[in-house]
Amino acid sequence: SPAMPAPRHQDVAVGDMVDPADFGAFNESDVSDKPRFIRRLPGIDQKHARNFARDQHQTMMSVDELTGAVLDTLRARGELDNTLVIYMSDNGHLWGEHRWIGKNVPYARTTEVPLLMRWYGHIAEGTTSDRIALNVDVTATMAEAAGVDMPWSEGRSLFGSDTRTGFVLEAIAQRPPYKNRPAYCGWRTAERLYVRYGTGEEELYLYKKDPAERRNLAESPQYADMVKTLRSKALEACDPVPPGFSWDGG
């Protein structure tokens, strides 16, 4: 924010944000299983959330125009088929799930972003992949396409077969005047999210059963071993820990 549509797009009708019922977690009424910083949040103004989403959609129209202009220019120069095009977002965004608008939390919709690639003769049309890709992997992918070695990078080229089973999620504390969210460290896989906050609070979500992250299983005895395993992954990956975070917090 602020999402500021170009003047030519301000009155263009756009689709509404996804229905809150589809989100499942929009303006959650029961956040008793969430950490304190979520439980303290007031309910979301649904009108505000919808208006903000509308402004974002209208703003993206100028981005669409720019993207089209770049591709048209490459095509006119005869360079499009020999160009690796990568299109992605910098971060995800919550529109009111878990009573949160914005980013800077470990939930899936703020950490997952779209990633589209086009390279004629190298990427088959319509190809999709469910592998985990990180920002550093995009850099490694471009390096391989250009024939450049990057031995110092932790990135893994998406043209290769090396895949990730998970990755670290971490952040320093966020303080007022921004929302008050403690520092955290966690481990994310394609199917699970584990996170521990500097307050000692923990969260565990299983995406096959609960894609909207409505049921925190971190305190469930049934998943104690899973929490232990994922905590050890986070403990190893968060080194050094984010400022304001301690595994002894609580």
Side-chain angles (χ1 to χ4, degrees):
S1 65
M4 301 175 63
R8 62 187 178 279
H9 297 142
Q10 288 179 344
D11 296 323
V12 176
V14 295
D16 197 2
M17 64 179 281
V18 178
D19 190 279
D22 293 332
F23 278 132
F26 180 86
N27 215 11
E28 251 177 309
S29 59
D30 182 6
V31 291
S32 59
D33 64 335
K34 296 294 187 289
R36 285 191 295 273
F37 80 95
I38 292 290
R39 297 201 305 267
R40 291 169 178 164
L41 293 175
I44 294 294
D45 182 339
Q46 186 166 322
K47 181 179 179 181
H48 168 73
R50 288 182 178 274
N51 288 343
F52 182 45
R54 178 204 61 214
D55 291 345
Q56 287 182 305
H57 290 164
Q58 291 175 334
T59 300
M60 286 302 297
M61 289 181 174
S62 57
V63 178
D64 289 343
E65 292 174 349
L66 173 61
T67 303
V70 171
L71 296 180
D72 288 344
T73 300
L74 289 170
R75 186 179 292 109
R77 293 179 177 179
E79 299 176 359
L80 181 58
D81 287 345
N82 192 37
T83 299
L84 170 60
V85 178
I86 301 176
Y87 188 96
M88 61 186 298
S89 171
D90 63 337
N91 59 264
H93 194 283
L94 294 184
W95 274 328
E97 300 93 322
H98 318 303
R99 302 185 182 182
W100 191 274
I101 291 182
K103 52 182 181 177
N104 295 325
V105 285
Y107 301 125
R109 291 188 183 274
T110 66
T111 57
E112 294 178 351
V113 300
L115 172 62
L116 307 177
M117 298 173 57
R118 180 196 190 279
W119 194 14
Y120 182 77
H122 297 269
I123 303 174
E125 182 178 351
T127 300
T128 60
S129 174
D130 58 2
R131 71 196 295 183
I132 294 174
L134 306 182
N135 291 10
V136 291
D137 298 335
V138 175
T139 308
T141 301
M142 291 189 290
E144 180 171 336
V148 177
D149 291 330
M150 293 185 64
W152 60 87
S153 172
E154 294 183 358
R156 304 179 185 185
S157 171
L158 299 179
F159 292 123
S161 58
D162 194 9
T163 60
R164 298 179 182 275
T165 58
F167 59 96
V168 64
L169 288 173
E170 58 183 336
I172 64 173
Q174 186 181 42
R175 302 300 185 196
Y178 303 101
K179 293 176 181 176
N180 194 3
R181 190 260 302 137
Y184 65 81
C185 178
W187 187 256
R188 171 69 196 274
T189 73
E191 298 179 352
R192 300 165 185 168
L193 168 66
Y194 163 81
V195 60
R196 182 182 178 94
Y197 297 92
T199 56
E201 298 166 293
E202 296 180 309
E203 292 183 282
L204 172 68
Y205 300 102
L206 307 184
Y207 291 120
K208 284 188 176 182
K209 296 182 178 181
D210 182 22
E213 299 164 322
R214 298 192 66 182
R215 185 184 178 195
N216 178 13
L217 301 174
E219 298 297 326
S220 173
Q222 179 181 352
Y223 296 98
D225 289 342
M226 183 183 296
V227 168
K228 183 178 179 179
T229 298
L230 295 174
R231 186 189 295 131
S232 67
K233 290 281 190 180
L235 180 62
E236 179 181 2
C238 282
D239 183 19
V241 298
F245 178 87
S246 170
W247 288 101
D248 298 325

